[in-house]
Amino acid sequence: EEEYRLIKEIWAHSDTRIAVRFVYEYKKDGKWFRAHGNENWQFDANGYMEERHASINDVPIEESERKFHWDRSGPRPEDHPGLTELGL
């Protein structure tokens, strides 16, 4: 994967569990993709992850459909819209 950029948002949480939804964009073999997914973690009494579940779906996109354009040499800028603001 090249040009990888990721945005995550917390979906729900409790004392021992957290769920996030995420989207990332990347280029592979000259073609662009957007991956949508959900990830769930459960933690033990010491705060260590004891379970992880993830579901990811990759969708081919045109370069003109990309939504994540920040310089990948650093983190996503704080003023860059999140998933909700981008309609994802």
Side-chain angles (χ1 to χ4, degrees), residues 4-6 69-78:
Y4 178 93
R5 290 171 180 83
L6 166 72
H69 295 281
W70 65 88
D71 178 0
R72 68 184 184 102
S73 67
R76 173 172 58 109
E78 290 193 29

Side-chain angles (χ1 to χ4, degrees), residues 17-87:
R17 293 180 176 175
I18 187 169
V20 299
R21 62 190 196 98
F22 61 86
V23 176
Y24 60 89
E25 293 180 346
Y26 66 95
K27 187 165 61 170
K28 183 175 182 180
D29 299 327
K31 297 181 181 166
W32 284 96
F33 295 87
R34 182 177 298 129
H36 302 258
N38 298 291
E39 196 166 14
N40 305 302
W41 298 287
Q42 181 169 302
F43 302 92
D44 67 18
N46 296 311
Y48 293 104
M49 185 188 338
E50 61 183 6
E51 278 189 57
R52 175 186 175 264
H53 304 276
S55 176
I56 306 167
N57 297 298
D58 294 325
V59 178
I61 61 172
E62 296 296 323
E63 185 170 4
S64 61
E65 296 176 285
R66 293 180 54 222
K67 296 182 182 277
F68 305 169
H69 295 281
W70 65 88
D71 178 0
R72 68 184 184 102
S73 67
R76 173 172 58 109
E78 290 193 29
D79 64 345
H80 190 284
L83 299 180
T84 300
E85 292 84 9
L86 290 168

